[in-house]
Amino acid sequence: MKTKKILSLVIAAVMAVGGLSGCGTEKNASVTKDGKVALTVGNWPDKEANPQEYEAKMEEKTRFEEKYPDIEVVPDNWAYDIQTFAAKAEGETLPIIYNTFFTEAKKIIDLGYAADITDAMKEYGYYDVVSDEIMNEISRDDKVYMIPANVYTLGLVMNLNLFREAGLMNADGTPMFPQTFDEVRSMAKTIHDKTGKAGFVFPTTQNGGGWNFTALAWNFGGTFMKENGDKWEAAFNQGTTDALQWLQDMMWEDGSMPATTLVSNDDTSKLVGTDQAAMMFAHPGQVDLLVSQYGMNTENIGYAAMPAGPDRHVTLMGGNYYAIAPQATAEQIDAAFKWLEFTGATPAITLTEDAKESLREQYKTKYDENRYIIGIKDLSIWTDKEATQKYKEELIEEFRNIDEKNISSYNEKKDEIEYQTEEKICAQDLYGLLDSCIQEVLTNKDADCGEVLNKAASDFQNNFLNNM
């Protein structure tokens, strides 16, 4: 593939001058010294950072190897990273099983950095239980290259300490979930006026602001790009401007956003988790940080569905896939599917006792560690023929550590909410430009939102889309 060859030459040149020193390690062997199939598994928990998760995973490895003595699981701490991925792929040092993001799938498949796993998907019975929407993203020309791992949707996190202090709880003790962005703005102002704390916080750095802003703007009818023949054109419209104006008004008219405007996604979690801000957008993994990083009691956490905008009711859908390294042998691909099935990571019509035990241990470990919220339910990546999701919901009820009434808005998954994946191309570049736009209007009350976005659209077109 021409693109891949060009990338290979660039990587080789950079490595020659030491720019990627330390990234090129020995190629992963397909068999161990004693003749077993070597199955390198990425995203392995770090022993020092997560000792309980590490021990649970090592016990899982032991049980798996007892069942499949011809396979050796080789732990690998490497997690998907845009900066190191290409060098590892070219050097054939990727773990045999690695995770990646929804937004990276097209690039990885187009560059040939994921193995064709169509035959294994059919052999193991997964091919027909993947939802149509997901199958469209992980296949090319009737060949499948990735296995769905999880899916998430953005929601609205609520600090119930501040909601109680501001009088925004119902008589029965349930939180007043905001249904629209007008209500978010009104509640944020009430919280600020009654508590002196920020009612709403929005990220502005490390592409987090742009990522959140796309979902916000869609609800105002905003768009960012359109395909015109074989070209892409920036298409920032009035809805996009209205969404940016909403943020500017909350900052300068209402005073309901933090005075500090350089805020990362992690910072938003800290502000909400330490009672300095009342609301933020987040996916379920971010909500866990309120407990694991900031010691927040789950009784003080609320989680709502994305509110409706003036034009649409839509939220961002993202997630992760499992990919198998392109250099994997047929034996390694089979071993990878056995591991994913054993650990309950793949679908099943009937769950094996091994998979049930592994899944139950995963939930029990999370419960015992008290670093995760158990109770939040997201979309399924499988059709209703599949049994794993049903068993996970049983485990959620067994190990639940948050009151359902505080997260019911998010868990209900109302039919009127649309789910939209991230922007199709140059998403990270777009997010960086939008970060700057948000910073501008939050630091300058006189900034013209339309002009700010017009400049960003021009930069997006000239510096990125024209180079596609």
Side-chain angles (χ1 to χ4, degrees):
M1 192 176 295
K2 184 177 180 182
T3 305
K4 185 175 178 181
K5 288 179 180 177
I6 293 171
L7 181 58
S8 301
L9 291 172
V10 172
I11 291 171
V14 175
M15 290 180 71
V17 297
L20 291 177
S21 59
C23 292
T25 56
E26 280 189 29
K27 293 181 180 181
N28 293 324
S30 60
V31 295
T32 64
K33 291 180 181 179
D34 52 359
K36 297 181 180 182
V37 177
L39 179 62
T40 315
V41 179
N43 283 76
W44 203 269
D46 183 86
K47 186 176 182 179
E48 301 300 324
N50 298 297
Q52 286 182 287
E53 280 187 66
Y54 174 82
E55 289 302 324
K57 206 69 179 172
M58 292 302 290
E59 289 173 9
E60 196 170 50
K61 163 180 156 68
T62 298
R63 295 197 310 273
F64 176 81
E65 291 172 345
E66 286 173 354
K67 182 172 182 177
Y68 300 106
D70 59 331
I71 302 171
E72 182 175 332
V73 174
V74 182
D76 190 328
N77 295 130
W78 183 79
Y80 190 86
D81 179 84
I82 294 171
Q83 302 302 318
T84 62
F85 174 76
K88 289 185 74 66
E90 287 295 312
E92 296 186 10
T93 60
L94 287 171
I96 295 302
I97 302 175
Y98 67 92
N99 287 51
T100 190
F101 316 128
F102 272 24
T103 51
E104 296 297 289
K106 182 180 186 301
K107 175 182 74 177
I108 290 171
I109 294 170
D110 289 348
L111 291 174
Y113 290 149
D116 176 357
I117 56 173
T118 312
D119 291 342
M121 289 284 283
K122 291 180 177 178
E123 179 185 344
Y124 279 81
Y126 308 156
Y127 191 87
D128 292 326
V129 296
V130 178
S131 68
D132 292 342
E133 293 82 3
I134 297 295
M135 184 60 84
N136 288 337
E137 300 295 324
I138 62 176
S139 59
R140 295 283 188 282
D141 302 322
D142 297 323
K143 293 182 179 180
V144 183
Y145 293 91
M146 294 186 180
I147 307 164
N150 60 66
V151 64
Y152 66 78
T153 58
L154 283 186
L156 183 77
V157 177
M158 304 154 63
N159 180 311
L160 299 187
N161 281 327
L162 297 179
F163 267 68
R164 292 186 189 102
E165 192 176 341
L168 295 174
M169 302 291 285
N170 296 311
D172 62 359
T174 58
M176 293 182 181
F177 296 116
Q179 303 298 311
T180 66
F181 282 103
D182 283 344
E183 289 185 7
V184 171
R185 182 177 175 184
S186 174
M187 288 182 176
K189 188 174 189 310
T190 296
I191 290 166
H192 174 261
D193 291 348
K194 292 192 175 182
T195 71
K197 305 294 179 63
F200 184 72
V201 59
F202 200 86
T204 62
T205 67
Q206 300 175 13
N207 291 10
W211 177 63
N212 278 268
F213 183 76
T214 55
L216 173 66
W218 296 336
N219 281 280
F220 283 79
T223 60
F224 295 93
M225 64 184 81
K226 64 180 180 181
E227 196 169 8
N228 186 3
D230 60 351
K231 296 181 179 180
W232 285 87
E233 297 176 357
F236 294 24
N237 64 354
Q238 183 59 45
T240 312
T241 301
D242 292 343
L244 192 61
Q245 187 70 56
W246 184 81
L247 288 173
Q248 188 179 39
D249 290 346
M250 290 182 73
M251 181 70 179
W252 295 106
E253 289 188 13
D254 304 343
S256 58
M257 296 183 73
T260 301
T261 55
L262 293 178
V263 179
S264 68
N265 263 325
D266 288 343
D267 293 331
T268 63
S269 298
K270 181 178 181 179
L271 289 168
V272 172
T274 57
D275 293 346
Q276 298 177 70
M279 289 181 280
M280 69 177 187
F281 295 153
H283 61 71
Q286 289 174 274
V287 188
D288 285 335
L289 295 178
L290 303 180
V291 177
S292 63
Q293 297 295 319
Y294 305 108
M296 207 172 172
N297 192 305
T298 57
E299 70 181 14
N300 297 322
I301 297 171
Y303 197 28
M306 182 69 74
D311 190 81
R312 297 174 65 192
H313 193 183
V314 58
T315 191
L316 183 148
M317 179 178 73
N320 293 274
Y321 298 122
Y322 295 110
I324 295 178
Q327 75 272 13
T329 64
E331 292 76 16
Q332 286 176 308
I333 292 175
D334 184 69
F337 272 74
K338 283 183 167 66
W339 169 259
L340 293 173
E341 185 171 72
F342 184 89
T343 57
T346 45
I349 304 302
T350 303
L351 272 181
T352 66
E353 290 305 312
D354 288 327
K356 282 187 175 182
E357 182 179 358
S358 290
L359 284 169
R360 195 174 190 284
E361 281 300 313
Q362 290 170 28
Y363 277 83
K364 184 178 184 302
T365 299
K366 288 182 176 182
Y367 182 83
D368 291 343
E369 284 185 337
N370 196 29
R371 297 176 63 245
Y372 301 89
I373 295 175
I374 303 174
I376 295 172
K377 299 176 183 179
D378 221 319
L379 297 175
S380 175
I381 46 185
W382 314 110
T383 67
D384 57 9
K385 300 177 184 177
E386 196 274 320
T388 306
Q389 187 64 31
K390 294 175 185 176
Y391 186 60
K392 286 180 178 179
E393 291 188 4
E394 291 177 23
L395 293 172
I396 284 173
E397 294 310 315
E398 180 179 353
F399 293 103
R400 173 182 293 281
N401 62 6
I402 189 170
D403 194 325
E404 168 63 20
K405 71 174 184 287
N406 291 340
I407 55 176
S408 60
S409 170
Y410 184 85
N411 281 354
E412 282 173 3
K413 301 293 182 289
K414 295 178 181 177
D415 291 340
E416 64 265 24
I417 298 180
E418 301 175 63
Y419 298 100
Q420 185 166 327
T421 56
E422 296 181 58
E423 296 294 331
K424 295 295 184 184
I425 62 168
C426 301
Q428 297 299 326
D429 305 308
L430 172 65
Y431 299 158
L433 290 170
L434 292 173
D435 272 359
S436 299
C437 296
I438 300 163
Q439 290 173 25
E440 174 65 18
V441 302
L442 295 187
T443 56
N444 179 5
K445 65 179 180 180
D446 296 321
D448 184 297
C449 292
E451 290 181 5
V452 168
L453 286 168
N454 284 339
K455 182 181 184 306
S458 177
D459 290 345
F460 187 47
Q461 185 70 54
N462 295 325
N463 297 333
F464 301 106
L465 296 183
N466 284 349
N467 296 327
M468 291 299 298

